């Protein structure tokens, strides 16, 4: 099972991806987590992307696509994976498609979590302890970047007949149940 969890910052993708790891026996691939790990380990990738993450803007497509491609070929991802925070531009969606097609693979489900913007801001502000990009001005910028660059990815998967939108409000368990139902589990 290869699943994409889609939605704006604060929609609950990371929380749900972690729960789904246990429920489905496949791994989460969070590009944000991979970048944050690279930054804390001060790898060349981390040094390259630190100021971008701190600013709330997007890392360039090639860097993200290379990172995802080198991650997904690892044996632990052979049973499948949950993509969280990728693809975030239509160029990334196209690159993912080409990567999968070359391997004779495809995405099984694309799930968008729908949460009103006021609720997103509340959640992100409350999460704000510890993440440099969870301050009010960075949150506003990240939501703007989402609307401009990331939202078109939804239409891209809708055109392929794969996009499903689920209500992202409720308890963590309720939302997990909705996702499992949407993917037929
Ligand atoms: P996240 O943890 O998903 O909110 O990602 C945190 C930050 O990492 C984003 O604000 C971007 O700077 C960077 N990032 C994560 N995933 C991507 C992606 N697919 N494309 C570009 N930048 C990304």
């Amino acid at each position: 099972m290869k699943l994409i969890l889609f939605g704006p910052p604060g929609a609950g993708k990371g929380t749900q991806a972690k729960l789904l790891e246990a429920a489905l026996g496949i791994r989460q691939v969070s590009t944000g987590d991979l970048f944050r790990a690279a930054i804390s380990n001060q790898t060349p990738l981390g040094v390259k992307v630190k100021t971008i993450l701190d600013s709330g803007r997007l890392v360039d497509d090639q860097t993200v696509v290379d990172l995802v491609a080198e991650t997904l070929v690892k044996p632990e991802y052979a049973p499948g994976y949950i993509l969280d925070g990728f693809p975030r531009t239509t160029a990334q969606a196209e690159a993912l498609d080409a990567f999968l097609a070359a391997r004779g693979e495809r995405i099984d489900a694309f799930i968008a979590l729908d949460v009103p913007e006021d609720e997103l801001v509340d959640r992100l502000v409350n999460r704000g302890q510890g993440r440099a990009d969870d301050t009010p001005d960075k949150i506003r910028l990240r939501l703007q970047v989402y609307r401009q660059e990331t939202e078109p990815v939804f239409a891209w998967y809708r055109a392929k007949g794969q996009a499903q939108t689920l209500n992202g409000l409720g308890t963590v368990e309720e939302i997990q149940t909705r996702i499992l139902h949407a993917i037929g589990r």
Side-chain angles (χ1 to χ4, degrees):
M1 160 80 55
K2 298 181 182 64
L3 175 65
I4 296 176
L5 277 187
F6 184 78
K13 302 183 297 293
T15 303
Q16 292 301 326
K18 288 195 179 76
L19 284 172
L20 290 168
E21 280 194 319
L24 300 174
I26 55 178
R27 293 201 184 208
Q28 170 195 26
V29 178
S30 159
T31 42
D33 285 352
L34 292 171
F35 286 132
R36 281 184 290 275
I39 290 169
S40 66
N41 295 326
Q42 299 185 340
T43 67
L45 174 67
V47 171
K48 178 165 133 185
V49 302
K50 181 179 185 328
T51 53
I52 303 171
L53 264 82
D54 286 351
S55 77
R57 298 191 178 278
L58 294 184
V59 174
D60 69 279
D61 288 332
Q62 194 60 54
T63 300
V64 185
V65 166
D66 288 349
L67 174 68
V68 171
E70 73 193 36
T71 301
L72 296 185
V73 296
K74 293 181 181 169
E76 58 264 41
Y77 299 98
Y81 41 79
I82 307 146
L83 291 173
D84 156 17
F86 177 91
R88 233 170 172 113
T89 64
T90 49
Q92 292 177 17
E94 283 166 23
L96 175 64
D97 218 35
F99 169 86
L100 292 171
R103 295 160 59 86
E105 298 172 352
R106 65 193 296 274
I107 290 296
D108 298 296
F110 179 97
I111 307 274
L113 295 176
D114 185 34
V115 175
E117 184 144 334
D118 288 351
E119 170 74 12
L120 296 173
V121 174
D122 284 351
R123 289 185 189 180
L124 292 165
V125 169
N126 288 328
R127 183 174 83 180
Q129 306 95 6
R131 265 184 69 166
D133 59 351
D134 278 346
T135 60
D137 57 327
K138 307 276 177 65
I139 289 169
R140 268 192 296 277
L141 176 66
R142 285 162 59 215
L143 290 171
Q144 188 188 333
V145 168
Y146 173 79
R147 283 191 296 268
Q148 286 175 355
E149 302 193 47
T150 305
E151 218 158 48
V153 173
F154 181 86
W156 200 84
Y157 282 95
R158 190 180 48 202
K160 290 162 78 82
Q162 287 200 296
Q164 301 187 68
T165 302
L166 301 182
N167 179 2
L169 292 179
T171 66
V172 165
E173 293 75 22
E174 283 166 349
I175 298 162
Q176 192 198 16
T177 303
R178 284 177 207 146
I179 296 173
L180 289 171
H181 183 254
I183 59 175
R185 300 294 174 105

